Short mmCIF file of all heavy atoms in Angstrom, two decimals:
data_model
loop_
_atom_site.label_atom_id
_atom_site.label_comp_id
_atom_site.label_asym_id
_atom_site.label_seq_id
_atom_site.Cartn_x
_atom_site.Cartn_y
_atom_site.Cartn_z
N ILE S 154 13.91 -2.67 -2.13
CA ILE S 154 13.84 -2.39 -3.60
C ILE S 154 15.24 -1.49 -3.84
O ILE S 154 15.80 -1.72 -4.96
CB ILE S 154 12.68 -1.55 -3.90
CG1 ILE S 154 11.31 -2.25 -3.60
CG2 ILE S 154 12.66 -1.11 -5.28
CD1 ILE S 154 11.23 -3.50 -4.41
N ALA S 155 15.49 -0.65 -2.90
CA ALA S 155 16.81 0.10 -3.20
C ALA S 155 18.00 -0.77 -3.48
O ALA S 155 18.93 -0.39 -4.12
CB ALA S 155 17.03 1.20 -2.03
N ARG S 156 18.08 -1.86 -2.70
CA ARG S 156 19.22 -2.67 -2.69
C ARG S 156 19.36 -3.50 -4.00
O ARG S 156 20.38 -3.96 -4.32
CB ARG S 156 19.18 -3.76 -1.47
CG ARG S 156 19.75 -3.08 -0.18
CD ARG S 156 19.90 -4.26 0.85
NE ARG S 156 18.68 -4.79 1.36
CZ ARG S 156 18.06 -4.29 2.48
NH1 ARG S 156 18.49 -3.28 3.01
NH2 ARG S 156 16.86 -4.80 2.77
N THR S 157 18.32 -3.54 -4.89
CA THR S 157 18.46 -4.25 -6.13
C THR S 157 19.03 -3.27 -7.21
O THR S 157 19.28 -3.82 -8.25
CB THR S 157 16.97 -4.49 -6.69
OG1 THR S 157 16.23 -3.23 -6.90
CG2 THR S 157 16.10 -5.39 -5.69
N GLY S 158 19.27 -2.01 -6.76
CA GLY S 158 19.91 -1.07 -7.79
C GLY S 158 21.24 -0.60 -7.23
O GLY S 158 22.03 -1.31 -6.41
N THR S 159 21.63 0.64 -7.52
CA THR S 159 22.79 1.26 -7.21
C THR S 159 22.54 2.51 -6.15
O THR S 159 21.79 3.35 -6.68
CB THR S 159 23.54 1.78 -8.37
OG1 THR S 159 23.94 0.66 -9.18
CG2 THR S 159 24.96 2.45 -7.88
N ILE S 160 23.07 2.45 -5.00
CA ILE S 160 22.87 3.48 -4.14
C ILE S 160 23.66 4.84 -4.61
O ILE S 160 24.73 4.81 -4.91
CB ILE S 160 23.34 3.23 -2.66
CG1 ILE S 160 22.72 1.93 -2.17
CG2 ILE S 160 23.11 4.34 -1.66
CD1 ILE S 160 21.17 2.07 -2.03
N VAL S 161 22.74 5.95 -4.76
CA VAL S 161 23.27 7.15 -5.25
C VAL S 161 23.36 8.31 -4.12
O VAL S 161 24.39 8.80 -3.93
CB VAL S 161 22.43 7.61 -6.45
CG1 VAL S 161 22.87 8.94 -7.01
CG2 VAL S 161 22.38 6.65 -7.48
N ASP S 162 22.26 8.42 -3.49
CA ASP S 162 22.07 9.43 -2.40
C ASP S 162 22.56 10.82 -2.89
O ASP S 162 23.61 11.41 -2.44
CB ASP S 162 22.86 9.11 -1.14
CG ASP S 162 22.54 9.93 0.05
OD1 ASP S 162 21.45 10.62 0.02
OD2 ASP S 162 23.45 9.90 1.06
N ALA S 163 21.83 11.31 -3.82
CA ALA S 163 22.16 12.65 -4.40
C ALA S 163 21.05 13.60 -4.45
O ALA S 163 19.77 13.21 -4.40
CB ALA S 163 22.65 12.40 -5.90
N GLN S 164 21.29 14.86 -4.58
CA GLN S 164 20.22 15.82 -4.74
C GLN S 164 19.52 15.69 -6.17
O GLN S 164 20.24 15.41 -7.13
CB GLN S 164 20.80 17.30 -4.65
CG GLN S 164 19.69 18.32 -4.69
CD GLN S 164 20.33 19.72 -4.66
OE1 GLN S 164 21.53 19.82 -4.23
NE2 GLN S 164 19.63 20.74 -4.89
N VAL S 165 18.22 15.65 -6.24
CA VAL S 165 17.56 15.54 -7.36
C VAL S 165 17.63 16.80 -8.23
O VAL S 165 17.40 17.86 -7.86
CB VAL S 165 16.01 15.23 -7.20
CG1 VAL S 165 15.26 14.98 -8.42
CG2 VAL S 165 15.94 14.07 -6.26
N SER S 166 18.09 16.54 -9.63
CA SER S 166 18.12 17.65 -10.48
C SER S 166 17.42 17.05 -11.89
O SER S 166 17.68 15.86 -12.04
CB SER S 166 19.36 18.19 -10.68
OG SER S 166 20.16 17.16 -11.30
N SER S 167 16.99 17.97 -12.62
CA SER S 167 16.47 17.52 -13.91
C SER S 167 17.68 17.00 -14.81
O SER S 167 17.39 15.92 -15.49
CB SER S 167 15.88 18.88 -14.69
OG SER S 167 15.59 18.50 -16.04
N GLN S 168 18.77 17.57 -14.84
CA GLN S 168 19.85 16.99 -15.57
C GLN S 168 20.25 15.61 -15.09
O GLN S 168 20.63 14.67 -15.96
CB GLN S 168 21.02 17.86 -15.54
CG GLN S 168 22.25 17.75 -16.54
CD GLN S 168 21.73 17.94 -17.90
OE1 GLN S 168 20.91 18.62 -18.32
NE2 GLN S 168 22.09 16.86 -18.81
N LEU S 169 20.36 15.36 -13.80
CA LEU S 169 20.72 14.12 -13.30
C LEU S 169 19.80 12.94 -13.73
O LEU S 169 20.15 11.88 -14.17
CB LEU S 169 20.78 14.11 -11.74
CG LEU S 169 21.13 12.80 -11.01
CD1 LEU S 169 22.36 12.30 -11.53
CD2 LEU S 169 21.05 12.90 -9.50
N LEU S 170 18.50 13.34 -13.72
CA LEU S 170 17.44 12.38 -14.07
C LEU S 170 17.53 12.09 -15.54
O LEU S 170 17.50 10.89 -15.92
CB LEU S 170 16.02 12.90 -13.78
CG LEU S 170 15.61 13.05 -12.24
CD1 LEU S 170 14.26 13.74 -12.07
CD2 LEU S 170 15.62 11.63 -11.55
N LYS S 171 17.79 13.05 -16.35
CA LYS S 171 17.90 12.72 -17.84
C LYS S 171 19.12 11.97 -18.16
O LYS S 171 19.08 11.20 -18.94
CB LYS S 171 18.03 14.07 -18.53
CG LYS S 171 16.66 14.86 -18.67
CD LYS S 171 16.66 16.05 -19.56
CE LYS S 171 17.57 17.20 -18.91
NZ LYS S 171 17.49 18.44 -19.55
N ASN S 172 20.26 12.11 -17.36
CA ASN S 172 21.42 11.46 -17.51
C ASN S 172 21.29 9.87 -17.20
O ASN S 172 21.73 8.98 -17.83
CB ASN S 172 22.63 11.92 -16.75
CG ASN S 172 23.12 13.22 -17.30
OD1 ASN S 172 22.93 13.50 -18.48
ND2 ASN S 172 23.71 13.97 -16.52
N ILE S 173 20.48 9.70 -16.04
CA ILE S 173 20.19 8.34 -15.59
C ILE S 173 19.33 7.54 -16.62
O ILE S 173 19.62 6.40 -16.93
CB ILE S 173 19.54 8.33 -14.28
CG1 ILE S 173 20.48 8.77 -13.17
CG2 ILE S 173 18.98 6.99 -13.86
CD1 ILE S 173 19.86 9.07 -11.76
N PHE S 174 18.46 8.23 -17.19
CA PHE S 174 17.47 7.56 -18.07
C PHE S 174 17.76 7.69 -19.60
O PHE S 174 16.91 7.32 -20.36
CB PHE S 174 16.03 8.03 -17.86
CG PHE S 174 15.48 7.65 -16.51
CD1 PHE S 174 15.38 8.46 -15.32
CD2 PHE S 174 15.07 6.30 -16.28
CE1 PHE S 174 14.84 7.88 -14.16
CE2 PHE S 174 14.48 5.79 -15.00
CZ PHE S 174 14.42 6.83 -14.04
N PHE S 175 18.94 8.26 -19.81
CA PHE S 175 19.46 8.28 -21.23
C PHE S 175 19.51 6.86 -21.72
O PHE S 175 19.89 6.00 -20.98
CB PHE S 175 20.88 8.98 -21.19
CG PHE S 175 21.36 9.02 -22.58
CD1 PHE S 175 20.84 9.74 -23.69
CD2 PHE S 175 22.46 8.24 -22.96
CE1 PHE S 175 21.33 9.76 -24.97
CE2 PHE S 175 23.00 8.39 -24.23
CZ PHE S 175 22.54 9.12 -25.21
N VAL S 176 19.09 6.65 -22.96
CA VAL S 176 18.88 5.39 -23.54
C VAL S 176 20.04 4.50 -23.40
O VAL S 176 19.99 3.16 -23.34
CB VAL S 176 18.32 5.43 -24.91
CG1 VAL S 176 19.32 6.05 -25.89
CG2 VAL S 176 17.69 3.93 -25.36
N LYS S 177 21.24 5.05 -23.56
CA LYS S 177 22.44 4.28 -23.58
C LYS S 177 23.12 4.17 -22.08
O LYS S 177 24.11 3.61 -22.03
CB LYS S 177 23.44 4.80 -24.53
CG LYS S 177 23.05 4.66 -25.91
CD LYS S 177 24.09 5.18 -26.98
CE LYS S 177 23.48 4.94 -28.43
NZ LYS S 177 24.64 5.43 -29.40
#
Side-chain angles (χ1 to χ4, degrees):
I154 301 298
R156 280 193 287 268
T157 64
T159 302
I160 301 300
V161 179
D162 190 20
Q164 181 179 351
V165 178
S166 68
S167 174
Q168 191 61 45
L169 175 60
L170 293 175
K171 288 186 291 184
N172 287 338
I173 290 176
F174 290 105
F175 178 63
V176 66
K177 294 184 179 180

